[in-house]
Amino acid sequence: MEITPPIANKLLTKNTNNRNLKDRHVKWLATQMRLGYWRWAGNLLLWSKNNVLMNSQHTLNAIIESGTTQKFMVISGLEDETMSVIDTGSSRTAGDVLTLNGFQNASIIAATVKRHMAFKAKQYSAVARGGKGGANPKRLAGDEHFLSNERVLELVKEQPRFVEVAALASEWYRQCKYVVPSFYGTMAMLFMDKHVDEGKKFLDKFASGIGLYEGDPVYLLRKRMEKEYVALKKLPGKAHLLWFIACWNKCRKGQKMTNMPRYTNTIAIPEIL
């Protein structure tokens, strides 16, 4: 069945027993639909035998917000108890999609794309976030920064360097675990955009610790990140981004460095030279 905005609006009048609506998720789905990234993959609309909508309230609201028409398979007459098992599976991640498309280091690539996109959107805290890392795609403002699994795959195909830096990041992380692989990958993307060889050399030196000396910005960076790595009380990840860029800029200028910039919540992230 093709669901138009008027039909979606009518169906939602039967949405009487569902989760709270998450506006951010609706906007994210609506952006996918508006940009053409939404694909019909057997999507279901489920109805109880008492004529109550059991799922897809976010998708229906997104249809209304995007002004698009989307296709669904409709199943009705379900027992009310069915609600307890709906949408309890594990969502497919961008890393899963890259793996299915034959990419190695898929999780590193996916997280690097998200962090890189966060930097472009000036979401600097998201760039440096630990764990799985990366920007929340639902928080990236503007169509040019929009991320979905399909968009991540598209970006990787458009920019093969994501694959290259993920392989490098995996090796750098093996040598030095002061930052996570996708942070290595993101710094590589940003620095190699300015100078390919110098960007790789900078991160090679940081990860290996070879050839460093007093006054070398990379030496100071490695010592500071070592201290941060073992600290019980760590600074926000945005500090890591500040330090990496500050040290990179000093290297690009051929200058020595004896003190790391002092991090504050309001300090600006410098432009990458």
Side-chain angles (χ1 to χ4, degrees):
M1 181 177 181
E2 290 192 335
I3 307 297
T4 64
I7 292 175
N9 193 57
K10 187 173 182 179
L11 294 176
L12 284 168
T13 64
K14 301 296 184 180
N15 183 38
T16 59
N17 184 28
N18 219 318
R19 296 174 292 179
N20 293 332
L21 192 70
K22 298 176 182 177
D23 291 337
R24 184 181 294 157
H25 188 55
V26 171
K27 292 183 182 299
W28 184 58
L29 293 173
T31 304
Q32 287 190 65
M33 293 175 184
R34 190 176 68 254
L35 296 179
Y37 289 117
W38 182 266
R39 298 285 186 268
W40 186 72
N43 306 78
L44 299 177
L45 271 177
L46 305 179
W47 290 86
S48 76
K49 63 182 181 181
N50 295 315
N51 202 30
V52 173
L53 180 68
M54 304 183 78
N55 76 327
S56 297
Q57 60 166 340
H58 290 88
T59 310
L60 292 172
N61 276 280
I63 288 172
I64 295 169
E65 181 163 328
S66 66
T68 62
T69 296
Q70 305 297 338
K71 188 185 296 184
F72 286 85
M73 184 178 294
V74 181
I75 299 177
S76 61
L78 297 171
E79 296 292 336
D80 292 338
E81 291 77 12
T82 305
M83 182 71 78
S84 65
V85 298
I86 293 173
D87 294 335
T88 57
S90 177
S91 299
R92 182 170 290 174
T93 67
D96 293 333
V97 171
L98 292 173
T99 297
L100 291 171
N101 280 270
F103 289 96
Q104 301 294 318
N105 301 305
S107 61
I108 299 175
I109 296 172
T112 299
V113 170
K114 293 177 182 180
R115 289 175 187 267
H116 189 257
M117 187 70 79
F119 187 90
K120 298 298 184 183
K122 298 184 178 181
Q123 288 190 3
Y124 299 127
S125 294
V127 178
R129 189 175 296 127
K132 293 184 179 178
N136 184 333
K138 299 171 189 177
R139 296 181 184 176
L140 290 176
D143 290 354
E144 71 275 18
H145 298 130
F146 174 75
L147 280 177
S148 64
N149 290 351
E150 187 173 356
R151 177 60 175 151
V152 170
L153 176 61
E154 183 178 84
L155 286 169
V156 173
K157 289 181 177 179
E158 289 175 355
Q159 301 181 58
R161 184 171 288 166
F162 279 118
V163 178
E164 176 188 353
V165 301
L168 292 171
S170 180
E171 174 58 23
W172 288 327
Y173 183 70
R174 187 190 66 77
Q175 297 178 62
C176 177
K177 294 180 169 55
Y178 295 164
V179 296
V180 297
S182 58
F183 186 81
Y184 274 122
T186 303
M187 293 298 97
M189 287 292 296
L190 295 172
F191 296 160
M192 291 169 74
D193 277 347
K194 298 298 182 178
H195 195 289
V196 174
D197 292 338
E198 289 300 316
K200 183 176 181 299
K201 179 182 177 182
F202 180 93
L203 292 165
D204 277 339
K205 288 173 63 178
F206 174 82
S208 69
I210 297 173
L212 302 182
Y213 56 89
E214 292 278 357
D216 184 345
V218 183
Y219 171 83
L220 187 64
L221 176 63
R222 185 177 167 96
K223 295 294 288 185
R224 187 62 185 86
M225 290 304 301
E226 179 183 21
K227 181 179 178 180
E228 183 70 9
Y229 182 73
V230 300
L232 295 177
K233 185 177 180 181
K234 298 178 184 294
L235 287 174
K238 185 180 174 184
H240 303 170
L241 182 65
L242 168 69
W243 295 335
F244 267 77
I245 293 176
C247 292
W248 163 261
N249 286 348
K250 284 288 187 180
C251 286
R252 290 285 282 164
K253 294 178 181 178
Q255 298 175 347
K256 293 186 176 182
M257 192 173 184
T258 56
N259 294 298
M260 194 68 74
R262 181 174 177 271
Y263 173 77
T264 65
N265 290 333
T266 57
I267 194 167
I269 298 299
E271 181 182 353
I272 300 174
L273 301 182

Coordinates of all heavy atoms in Angstrom, one line a residue, residues 223-272:
K223 N 53.4 12.8 25.1 CA 53.6 12.9 26.5 C 52.3 13.3 27.2 O 51.9 12.8 28.2 CB 54.7 13.8 26.9 CG 56.1 13.3 26.5 CD 56.5 12.0 27.2 CE 56.9 12.2 28.6 NZ 57.4 11.0 29.2
R224 N 51.6 14.3 26.6 CA 50.4 14.8 27.2 C 49.3 13.8 27.1 O 48.5 13.6 28.0 CB 49.9 16.1 26.5 CG 48.7 16.8 27.2 CD 49.1 17.1 28.6 NE 48.0 17.6 29.4 CZ 47.1 16.9 30.0 NH1 47.2 15.6 30.0 NH2 46.1 17.4 30.7
M225 N 49.2 13.1 25.9 CA 48.1 12.1 25.7 C 48.4 10.8 26.6 O 47.5 10.2 27.1 CB 48.1 11.7 24.3 CG 47.5 12.8 23.4 SD 45.9 13.4 23.9 CE 44.9 11.9 23.8
E226 N 49.7 10.5 26.9 CA 50.0 9.4 27.8 C 49.5 9.8 29.2 O 48.9 8.9 29.9 CB 51.5 9.2 27.8 CG 52.0 8.1 28.8 CD 53.5 8.0 28.9 OE1 54.2 9.0 28.5 OE2 54.0 6.9 29.3
K227 N 49.7 11.0 29.6 CA 49.2 11.4 30.9 C 47.7 11.4 31.0 O 47.1 10.9 32.0 CB 49.7 12.9 31.2 CG 49.3 13.4 32.5 CD 49.8 14.8 32.7 CE 49.3 15.4 34.1 NZ 49.9 16.8 34.2
E228 N 47.1 11.8 29.9 CA 45.6 11.8 29.9 C 45.1 10.3 29.9 O 44.1 10.0 30.4 CB 45.1 12.5 28.6 CG 43.6 12.6 28.4 CD 43.0 13.6 29.5 OE1 43.7 14.3 30.2 OE2 41.8 13.6 29.5
Y229 N 45.8 9.5 29.2 CA 45.4 8.1 29.0 C 45.3 7.4 30.4 O 44.5 6.5 30.6 CB 46.4 7.3 28.1 CG 46.0 5.9 27.8 CD1 45.0 5.6 27.0 CD2 46.8 4.9 28.4 CE1 44.7 4.2 26.7 CE2 46.5 3.5 28.1 CZ 45.4 3.2 27.3 OH 45.1 1.9 27.0
V230 N 46.3 7.7 31.3 CA 46.4 7.0 32.6 C 45.7 7.8 33.7 O 45.5 7.3 34.8 CB 47.8 6.7 33.0 CG1 48.5 5.9 31.9 CG2 48.6 8.0 33.2
A231 N 45.2 9.0 33.4 CA 44.6 9.8 34.4 C 43.2 9.2 34.9 O 42.5 8.7 34.1 CB 44.4 11.2 33.9
L232 N 43.0 9.3 36.2 CA 41.7 8.9 36.7 C 40.6 9.9 36.4 O 39.5 9.6 36.2 CB 41.8 8.8 38.3 CG 42.8 7.7 38.8 CD1 42.8 7.7 40.3 CD2 42.3 6.3 38.3
K233 N 41.0 11.2 36.3 CA 40.1 12.2 35.9 C 40.5 12.8 34.6 O 41.5 13.5 34.5 CB 40.0 13.3 37.0 CG 39.0 14.4 36.7 CD 38.9 15.4 37.8 CE 37.9 16.5 37.5 NZ 37.8 17.5 38.6
K234 N 39.8 12.5 33.5 CA 40.2 12.9 32.2 C 39.5 14.2 31.8 O 38.4 14.5 32.2 CB 39.8 11.8 31.2 CG 40.5 10.5 31.5 CD 40.1 9.4 30.5 CE 40.7 8.1 30.8 NZ 42.2 8.1 30.6
L235 N 40.2 15.0 30.9 CA 39.5 16.1 30.3 C 38.6 15.7 29.2 O 38.7 14.6 28.7 CB 40.6 17.1 29.7 CG 41.5 17.8 30.7 CD1 42.6 18.6 30.0 CD2 40.6 18.8 31.5
P236 N 37.6 16.6 28.8 CA 36.7 16.2 27.7 C 37.5 15.9 26.5 O 38.6 16.5 26.2 CB 35.9 17.5 27.6 CG 35.9 18.2 28.9 CD 37.3 17.9 29.4
G237 N 36.9 15.1 25.6 CA 37.6 14.7 24.4 C 37.9 15.8 23.5 O 38.8 15.7 22.7
K238 N 37.2 16.9 23.6 CA 37.5 18.1 22.8 C 38.9 18.6 23.0 O 39.5 19.2 22.0 CB 36.4 19.2 23.1 CG 36.6 20.4 22.2 CD 35.5 21.4 22.5 CE 35.7 22.7 21.7 NZ 34.7 23.8 22.2
A239 N 39.4 18.4 24.2 CA 40.8 18.8 24.4 C 41.8 18.0 23.5 O 42.8 18.6 23.1 CB 41.2 18.5 25.9
H240 N 41.5 16.7 23.3 CA 42.4 16.0 22.4 C 42.4 16.6 21.0 O 43.5 16.7 20.4 CB 41.9 14.5 22.3 CG 41.8 13.8 23.6 ND1 41.2 12.6 23.8 CD2 42.2 14.2 24.9 CE1 41.2 12.3 25.1 NE2 41.8 13.2 25.7
L241 N 41.3 17.0 20.5 CA 41.2 17.6 19.2 C 42.0 18.9 19.2 O 42.8 19.1 18.2 CB 39.7 17.9 18.8 CG 39.4 18.5 17.5 CD1 39.8 17.5 16.4 CD2 37.9 18.8 17.3
L242 N 41.9 19.7 20.2 CA 42.6 20.9 20.3 C 44.1 20.7 20.3 O 44.9 21.3 19.5 CB 42.2 21.7 21.6 CG 43.1 22.8 22.0 CD1 43.0 24.0 21.0 CD2 42.8 23.3 23.4
W243 N 44.6 19.7 21.0 CA 46.0 19.4 21.1 C 46.6 18.9 19.8 O 47.6 19.3 19.4 CB 46.3 18.5 22.3 CG 45.9 19.0 23.6 CD1 45.9 20.3 24.0 CD2 45.5 18.3 24.8 NE1 45.5 20.5 25.3 CE2 45.3 19.2 25.8 CE3 45.4 16.9 25.1 CZ2 44.9 18.9 27.1 CZ3 45.0 16.6 26.4 CH2 44.8 17.5 27.4
F244 N 45.8 18.0 19.2 CA 46.3 17.4 18.0 C 46.5 18.5 16.9 O 47.5 18.5 16.2 CB 45.4 16.3 17.5 CG 45.8 14.9 17.9 CD1 45.5 14.5 19.2 CD2 46.4 14.0 17.1 CE1 45.9 13.2 19.7 CE2 46.8 12.7 17.5 CZ 46.5 12.3 18.8
I245 N 45.5 19.3 16.8 CA 45.5 20.4 15.7 C 46.6 21.4 16.1 O 47.4 21.9 15.2 CB 44.2 21.0 15.6 CG1 43.2 20.0 15.0 CG2 44.3 22.2 14.6 CD1 41.7 20.5 14.9
A246 N 46.7 21.8 17.4 CA 47.7 22.8 17.8 C 49.1 22.3 17.5 O 50.0 23.0 16.9 CB 47.6 23.1 19.2
C247 N 49.4 21.0 17.8 CA 50.7 20.4 17.5 C 51.0 20.2 16.0 O 52.1 20.5 15.5 CB 50.9 19.1 18.2 SG 50.9 19.3 20.1
W248 N 50.0 19.8 15.3 CA 50.1 19.7 13.8 C 50.4 21.1 13.2 O 51.4 21.2 12.4 CB 48.8 19.2 13.2 CG 48.6 19.5 11.8 CD1 47.9 20.5 11.1 CD2 49.2 18.7 10.7 NE1 48.0 20.4 9.8 CE2 48.8 19.3 9.5 CE3 50.0 17.6 10.6 CZ2 49.1 18.8 8.2 CZ3 50.4 17.0 9.4 CH2 49.9 17.6 8.2
N249 N 49.8 22.2 13.7 CA 50.0 23.5 13.1 C 51.5 23.9 13.4 O 52.1 24.5 12.6 CB 49.0 24.5 13.7 CG 47.6 24.3 13.1 OD1 47.5 23.6 12.1 ND2 46.7 25.0 13.7
K250 N 52.0 23.6 14.6 CA 53.4 23.9 14.9 C 54.3 23.2 14.0 O 55.3 23.7 13.6 CB 53.6 23.6 16.4 CG 53.1 24.5 17.4 CD 53.8 25.9 17.4 CE 53.3 26.8 18.5 NZ 54.1 28.1 18.5
C251 N 54.0 21.9 13.8 CA 54.9 21.1 12.9 C 54.9 21.7 11.5 O 55.9 21.8 10.8 CB 54.4 19.7 12.8 SG 54.8 18.7 14.3
R252 N 53.7 22.1 11.0 CA 53.6 22.7 9.7 C 54.4 24.0 9.5 O 54.9 24.3 8.5 CB 52.1 23.0 9.4 CG 51.3 21.7 9.2 CD 51.6 21.1 7.8 NE 50.9 21.8 6.8 CZ 51.2 21.6 5.5 NH1 52.2 20.8 5.1 NH2 50.5 22.3 4.5
K253 N 54.5 24.7 10.7 CA 55.3 26.0 10.7 C 56.8 25.7 10.9 O 57.6 26.6 10.8 CB 54.8 26.9 11.7 CG 53.4 27.4 11.5 CD 52.9 28.3 12.6 CE 51.5 28.9 12.4 NZ 51.0 29.7 13.6
G254 N 57.1 24.5 11.2 CA 58.5 24.1 11.5 C 59.0 24.7 12.9 O 60.2 25.0 13.0
Q255 N 58.1 24.9 13.8 CA 58.4 25.5 15.1 C 58.4 24.4 16.2 O 57.7 23.4 16.1 CB 57.3 26.5 15.4 CG 57.2 27.7 14.5 CD 56.1 28.6 14.8 OE1 55.2 28.3 15.6 NE2 56.1 29.8 14.1
K256 N 59.3 24.7 17.2 CA 59.3 23.9 18.4 C 58.1 24.2 19.3 O 57.5 25.3 19.1 CB 60.6 24.0 19.1 CG 61.8 23.5 18.3 CD 63.1 23.6 19.1 CE 64.3 22.9 18.4 NZ 65.5 22.9 19.2
M257 N 57.9 23.4 20.3 CA 56.8 23.6 21.2 C 57.2 23.0 22.6 O 57.6 21.9 22.7 CB 55.6 22.8 20.6 CG 54.3 23.1 21.3 SD 52.9 22.3 20.3 CE 51.5 22.9 21.2
T258 N 56.9 23.9 23.6 CA 57.3 23.5 24.9 C 56.1 23.4 25.9 O 56.2 22.8 26.9 CB 58.3 24.5 25.5 OG1 57.8 25.8 25.5 CG2 59.6 24.4 24.8
N259 N 55.0 24.0 25.5 CA 53.8 24.0 26.3 C 52.6 23.7 25.5 O 52.4 24.2 24.4 CB 53.6 25.3 27.0 CG 54.7 25.6 28.0 OD1 54.8 24.9 29.0 ND2 55.5 26.7 27.8
M260 N 51.7 22.8 26.0 CA 50.4 22.5 25.3 C 49.4 23.6 25.6 O 49.4 24.1 26.7 CB 49.9 21.1 25.9 CG 48.8 20.6 25.0 SD 49.4 20.0 23.4 CE 50.3 18.6 23.8
P261 N 48.6 24.0 24.7 CA 47.5 24.9 24.9 C 46.7 24.5 26.1 O 46.3 23.3 26.2 CB 46.7 25.0 23.6 CG 47.6 24.5 22.6 CD 48.5 23.5 23.3
R262 N 46.3 25.4 27.0 CA 45.5 25.1 28.1 C 44.0 25.0 27.7 O 43.5 25.9 27.0 CB 45.6 26.2 29.2 CG 44.8 26.0 30.4 CD 45.1 27.1 31.5 NE 44.2 26.9 32.6 CZ 43.0 27.4 32.8 NH1 42.5 28.2 31.8 NH2 42.3 27.2 33.9
Y263 N 43.4 23.9 28.0 CA 42.0 23.6 27.6 C 41.0 24.3 28.5 O 41.1 24.2 29.7 CB 41.8 22.1 27.5 CG 40.3 21.8 27.2 CD1 39.8 22.0 25.9 CD2 39.4 21.5 28.2 CE1 38.5 21.8 25.6 CE2 38.1 21.3 27.9 CZ 37.6 21.4 26.7 OH 36.3 21.2 26.4
T264 N 40.1 25.0 27.9 CA 38.9 25.5 28.6 C 37.7 25.1 27.8 O 37.8 24.9 26.6 CB 38.9 27.0 28.9 OG1 38.9 27.7 27.6 CG2 40.2 27.4 29.6
N265 N 36.5 25.2 28.4 CA 35.3 24.8 27.7 C 35.0 25.8 26.6 O 34.3 25.4 25.6 CB 34.1 24.8 28.7 CG 34.1 23.6 29.6 OD1 34.7 22.6 29.3 ND2 33.6 23.8 30.8
T266 N 35.5 27.0 26.7 CA 35.2 28.0 25.7 C 36.2 28.2 24.6 O 36.1 29.0 23.7 CB 34.9 29.4 26.4 OG1 36.0 29.7 27.1 CG2 33.7 29.2 27.3
I267 N 37.3 27.5 24.7 CA 38.5 27.7 23.8 C 38.1 27.3 22.4 O 37.3 26.3 22.2 CB 39.7 27.0 24.3 CG1 40.9 27.5 23.5 CG2 39.6 25.5 24.1 CD1 42.3 27.0 24.1
A268 N 38.5 28.1 21.4 CA 38.2 27.8 20.0 C 39.1 26.8 19.4 O 40.3 26.7 19.7 CB 38.2 29.1 19.2
I269 N 38.6 25.9 18.6 CA 39.4 24.9 17.9 C 40.1 25.7 16.7 O 39.4 26.3 15.9 CB 38.5 23.8 17.3 CG1 37.9 23.0 18.5 CG2 39.4 22.9 16.5 CD1 38.9 22.4 19.4
P270 N 41.4 25.6 16.6 CA 42.1 26.4 15.6 C 41.9 25.8 14.2 O 41.6 24.6 14.0 CB 43.6 26.3 16.0 CG 43.7 25.0 16.8 CD 42.3 24.9 17.5
E271 N 42.1 26.7 13.2 CA 42.0 26.2 11.8 C 43.2 25.3 11.6 O 44.3 25.5 12.1 CB 42.1 27.4 10.9 CG 42.0 27.1 9.4 CD 42.1 28.3 8.5 OE1 42.0 29.4 9.1 OE2 42.2 28.1 7.3
I272 N 43.0 24.3 10.8 CA 44.1 23.4 10.4 C 44.9 23.9 9.3 O 44.4 24.3 8.2 CB 43.5 22.0 10.0 CG1 42.7 21.4 11.2 CG2 44.6 21.0 9.6 CD1 42.0 20.1 10.8

